[in-house]
């Protein structure tokens, strides 16, 4: 054996000590690893929090972040994935502790709360100079404007419409609903679709989560009701009570919904349709791509909500936003990243892959969105889309879930009347208007 | 020969701390690390919760943060949902623990018998206890599911049902359904505890009773039950406290719904903390839960005083 290549005990120990020192350095610089692969020298980090980390979204966001990082020499984005259930509380706790991320993706109904905490950067000036400002839908800006200040980027927008099974429509010899259909048409369709002996129901109604209140409210709007009138809560008006009665009767009287309805949340209504238990359900475009995989793109379509007795209808409009924080350590880097996500290709890819609607007109006009039958109902709902009335006060956000949903559930299962439910709900809203 | 000058022994100065005191203090000094650990992990969080309960502390309204004295406690007294959750908690605890105890006792008596494959059956009996609570909740949620769940399917096939039942969506059935799941999960706990107690009872006692002509029921009543009492007292008290605070099963299965039918005080506390982000009120609910449990435990131990010494 060549002695020159033999490792002496002393050399071995020296090497071991050196490796330990390098590892310790790396550990000490956990936030900025010493041996970081592919990182440009001097790049400053940007912390980005992203919730809803289902596998498809996670992969998509990781790919967008990687693409951005490769194009930059002075900024490096580090994405922190948080389960949706904990995203809001984690964010608010981090803000309280003084360590929020630089920027994050949130729902517009959180922006008011975050603004109430004095945590959100006012982007009005920057946004108005941004090259795509005018290309972004004015209604989308409304969802992120609080007290006249633009506080976020509307990344994608959502409104609601009805999914229905086209194959079952033919199978049961039912009439294809027209765009200007009425509540009566809807009830007839739901009844026609209900085949209890086959474990099939006409409407996948939602009983759990904030949207259990929102979907019911959309129907109340069809009867001429409003959440707010002249600055005061009017959700217990007689129009609202009658609208809610009609809506609840879909479950209570007509039994066109699955019996599990009072505890059915988002996952249950999407899967109920996907597995063939329900033949219609109300949701935003976020589940369109999933349904293409579940029931096949040729077997379903979307249509605007039916017109109510007041000859009105409403589809509440929400946005998934990109928000920059006042306490951000790297505001310039975060701004660069947010504008990258709002740019043509990243925005197009995000929306297209997830079946969401772009907030920018030029992208929304592309055939991938405007000509897709799975998205047609949403696009056709734009003329009567309104910014959710529940965005008006930050104090309403959590209360919809903690007090509103149990009240609506009590009305669903007949423990209280629609009138009592709305009277008590109006009290909750009035109490939390500040 | 010169002798060193004789010196008179001076009395030693009286030590500042006597030897006895020093020993006592040394003993206490050894306790300091344990006391610091216990203080940090138990006393501090309790004191902090009491402190928080005296403040208006809603995370997204930092500008309103301030001392409100017993304001949160006043709100709690007026809160109808709190009283409902307290009532639900008692139903949840009474239903769960009594059925777990009965099921566990029956299982322990069976497992105490000699039969082929007893080791395997004992292992299988433990499984529900080994599975994490959240997983148990998810599995049972699917079993109960009205559209695809196996329970409805079996009952329909057997002709015991004519239409599907929404076990977790009907306010009248939701609480019994979650209690049944909790019973399934908790039976092994009692089974193992009571089995250990049964194995500790000397066979001679049963043999002597048999010679005296005691029937099975008499032997059970006069030997088995009295000798198991200490275990029953401790196991039941522990289980009651755990069940009262056990939130994950209900949280996953029903989120307290429908219409608050399964909302217990611990899930309501979670809702206040993590949905409304009202940490002041959530702390108040926690303090009240603590007081209820302290009162209960004290009363329970007082009522059962002396039972432990039977063994």
């Amino acid at each position: 054996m060549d002695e020159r290549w033999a490792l002496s005990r002393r050399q071995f120990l020296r090497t071991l000590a050196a490796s330990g020192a390098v590892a310790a350095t790396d550990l000490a610089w956990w936030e900025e690893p010493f041996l970081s692969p592919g990182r440009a020298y001097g790049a400053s980090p940007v912390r980005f929090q992203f919730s809803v980390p289902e596998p498809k979204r996670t992969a998509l966001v990781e790919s967008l972040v990687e693409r951005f990082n490769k194009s930059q020499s002075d900024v490096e984005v580090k994405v922190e994935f948080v389960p949706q259930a904990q995203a809001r509380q984690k964010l608010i706790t981090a803000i309280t502790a003084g360590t929020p991320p630089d920027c994050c993706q949130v729902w517009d109904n959180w922006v008011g709360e975050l603004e109430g905490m004095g945590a959100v950067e006012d982007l009005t000036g920057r946004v108005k100079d941004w090259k795509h400002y005018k290309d972004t839908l004015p209604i989308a800006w409304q969802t992120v404007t609080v007290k006249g200040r633009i506080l976020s980027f509307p990344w994608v927008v959502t409104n609601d419409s009805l999914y229905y099974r086209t194959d079952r429509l033919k199978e049961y010899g039912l009439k294809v609903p027209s765009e200007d259909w009425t509540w009566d048409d809807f009830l007839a369709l739901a009844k026609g679709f209900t085949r209890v002996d086959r474990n099939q129901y006409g409407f996948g109604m939602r009983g759990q989560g904030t949207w259990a209140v929102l979907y019911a409210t959309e129907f109340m709007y069809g009867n001429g009701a409003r959440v707010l009138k002249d600055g005061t809560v009017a959700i217990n008006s007689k129009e609202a009570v009658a609208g809610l009665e009609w809506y609840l009767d879909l479950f209570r009287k007509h039994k066109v919904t699955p019996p599990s309805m009072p505890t059915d949340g988002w996952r249950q209504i999407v899967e109920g349709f996907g597995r063939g238990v329900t033949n219609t359900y109300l949701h935003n475009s976020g589940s369109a791509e999933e349904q293409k995989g579940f029931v096949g793109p040729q077997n379903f379509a979307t249509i605007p909500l039916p017109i109510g007795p007041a000859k009105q209808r409403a589809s509440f409009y929400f946005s998934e936003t990109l928000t920059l924080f006042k306490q951000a350590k790297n505001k310039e880097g975060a701004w660069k990243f947010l504008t990258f996500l709002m740019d043509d290709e990243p925005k197009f890819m995000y929306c297209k892959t997830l079946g969401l609607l772009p907030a920018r007109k030029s992208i929304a006009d592309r055939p991938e969105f405007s000509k897709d039958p799975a998205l047609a109902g949403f696009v056709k709902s734009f003329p009567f889309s309104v910014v959710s009335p529940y965005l008006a006060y930050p104090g309403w956000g959590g209360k919809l879930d903690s007090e509103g949903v149990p009240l609506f559930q009590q009305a669903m299962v007949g423990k209280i009347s629609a009138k009592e439910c709305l009277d008590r709900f109006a009290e909750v809203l009035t109490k939390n208007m500040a | 020969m010169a002798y060193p000058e004789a010196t008179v022994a001076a009395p030693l100065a009286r030590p500042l701390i006597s030897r006895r005191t020093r020993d006592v203090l040394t003993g206490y000094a050894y306790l300091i690390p344990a006391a610091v650990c216990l203080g940090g992990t138990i006393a501090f969080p309790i004191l902090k919760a009491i402190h928080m309960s005296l403040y208006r502390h809603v995370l997204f309204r930092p500008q309103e943060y301030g001392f409100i004295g017993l304001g949160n406690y006043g709100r709690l007294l007026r809160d109808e949902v709190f009283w409902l959750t307290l009532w639900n908690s008692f139903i949840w605890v009474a239903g769960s623990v009594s059925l777990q105890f009965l099921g566990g006792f029956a299982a322990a008596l069976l497992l105490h018998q000699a039969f082929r494959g007893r080791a395997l059956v004992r292992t299988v009996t433990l499984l529900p206890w080994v599975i994490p609570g959240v997983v148990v909740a998810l599995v049972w949620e699917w079993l109960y599911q009205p559209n695809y769940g196996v329970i409805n399917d079996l009952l329909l096939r057997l002709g015991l049902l004519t239409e599907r039942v929404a076990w977790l969506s009907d306010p009248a059935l939701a609480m019994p359904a979650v209690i049944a799941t909790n019973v399934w999960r908790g039976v092994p706990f009692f089974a193992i505890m009571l089995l250990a107690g049964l194995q500790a009872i000397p066979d001679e006692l049963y043999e002597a009773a048999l010679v005296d002509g005691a029937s099975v029921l008499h032997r059970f009543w006069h030997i088995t039950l009295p000798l198991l009492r200490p275990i029953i007292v401790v196991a039941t008290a522990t289980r009651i406290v755990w069940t009262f605070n056990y939130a994950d099963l209900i949280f996953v299965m029903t989120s307290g719904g429908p219409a608050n039918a399964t909302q217990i005080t611990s899930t309501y506390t979670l809702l206040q903390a993590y949905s409304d982000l009202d940490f002041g009120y959530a702390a108040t609910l926690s303090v009240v839960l603590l007081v209820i449990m302290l009162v209960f435990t004290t009363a329970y131990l007082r009522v059962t005083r002396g039972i432990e010494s039977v063994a």
Side-chain angles (χ1 to χ4, degrees), chain A residues 90-290:
Chain A
K90 189 173 187 291
L91 202 56
I92 290 177
T93 313
I95 293 165
T96 310
T99 55
D102 295 296
C103 54
C104 81
Q105 159 255 24
V106 300
W107 293 97
D108 50 6
N109 50 341
W110 304 354
V111 176
E113 281 180 352
L114 302 180
E115 194 274 335
M117 297 178 79
V120 186
E121 180 81 355
D122 181 0
L123 299 179
T124 315
R126 282 180 190 249
V127 157
K128 288 195 170 162
D129 292 336
W130 174 57
K131 59 182 175 178
H132 298 303
Y133 172 68
K134 286 192 175 150
D135 187 40
T136 306
L137 299 161
I139 194 169
W141 287 124
Q142 272 184 48
T143 62
V144 290
T145 302
V146 180
K147 296 172 191 160
R149 293 175 301 151
I150 297 173
L151 300 178
S152 294
F153 271 122
W155 194 8
V156 294
V157 294
T158 63
N159 58 354
D160 299 325
S161 87
L162 203 87
Y163 288 76
Y164 68 99
R165 286 283 294 261
T166 48
D167 54 342
R168 294 250 170 95
L169 204 72
K170 280 179 207 150
E171 187 186 342
Y172 298 147
L174 299 167
K175 224 172 73 182
V176 179
S178 63
E179 274 171 40
D180 54 350
W181 62 330
T182 64
W183 282 12
D184 289 339
D185 300 330
F186 171 64
L187 181 58
L189 182 76
K191 281 180 175 171
F193 266 144
T194 301
R195 295 277 196 279
V196 179
D197 54 322
R198 291 189 191 183
N199 193 26
Q200 286 179 20
Y201 297 89
F203 179 44
M205 194 164 154
R206 186 157 173 179
Q208 204 175 75
T210 309
W211 267 260
V213 176
L214 292 170
Y215 294 154
T217 314
E218 282 175 343
F219 273 88
M220 289 186 250
Y221 267 52
N223 203 37
R226 292 289 176 270
V227 170
L228 277 165
K229 255 182 200 164
D230 305 323
T232 55
V233 174
I235 194 61
N236 52 345
S237 65
K238 64 178 193 316
E239 293 85 5
V241 172
L244 183 60
E245 286 281 4
W246 186 89
Y247 181 72
L248 296 177
D249 276 348
L250 294 171
F251 169 71
R252 298 183 310 193
K253 189 173 150 195
H254 305 298
K255 300 194 186 303
V256 293
T257 75
S260 56
M261 188 284 286
T263 46
D264 280 350
W266 158 69
R267 186 41 42 203
Q268 284 82 3
I269 58 165
V270 172
E271 293 231 355
F273 187 80
R275 289 166 184 261
V277 173
T278 55
N279 290 319
T280 70
Y281 76 109
L282 183 55
H283 194 228
N284 61 54
S285 57
S287 56
E289 286 302 306
E290 205 172 346

Side-chain angles (χ1 to χ4, degrees), chain B residues 215-279:
Chain B
S215 67
V216 175
L217 268 181
H218 278 109
R219 274 178 278 156
F220 176 77
W221 193 255
H222 294 290
I223 299 173
T224 311
L225 211 52
L227 292 179
L228 283 182
R229 267 185 195 157
I231 292 179
I232 293 172
V233 168
V234 174
T236 314
T238 317
R239 197 72 195 131
I240 286 173
V241 175
W242 282 351
T243 308
F244 203 79
N245 294 322
Y246 185 39
D248 47 0
L249 196 82
I250 286 184
F251 213 71
V252 173
M253 288 180 79
T254 62
S255 303
N260 285 332
T262 57
Q263 196 76 266
I264 59 171
T265 313
S266 51
T267 55
Y268 188 53
T269 308
L270 276 175
L271 197 69
Q272 290 300 322
Y274 295 112
S275 179
D276 283 5
L277 298 167
D278 191 341
F279 276 39

Side-chain angles (χ1 to χ4, degrees), chain B residues 93-171:
Chain B
V93 171
S96 297
V97 178
S98 59
L99 294 173
Q100 282 172 3
F101 171 72
L102 289 175
F105 211 149
L109 289 171
L110 283 174
L111 294 173
H112 190 48
Q113 309 301 313
F115 59 89
R116 240 181 121 122
R118 185 168 70 163
L120 178 73
V121 176
R122 281 183 180 178
T123 312
V124 172
T125 310
L126 261 182
L127 276 180
W129 186 248
V130 175
I131 301 170
V134 173
V135 178
V136 169
L138 288 170
V139 168
W140 277 84
E141 197 188 343
W142 279 108
L143 293 176
Y144 281 131
Q145 222 290 331
N147 305 313
Y148 341 103
V150 73
I151 292 176
N152 269 321
D153 192 52
L154 282 176
L155 294 175
L156 283 167
R157 281 171 198 266
L158 292 170
L160 296 171
L161 285 183
T162 50
E163 58 183 44
R164 289 168 194 279
V165 176
W167 303 99
L168 297 175
S169 307
D170 182 336

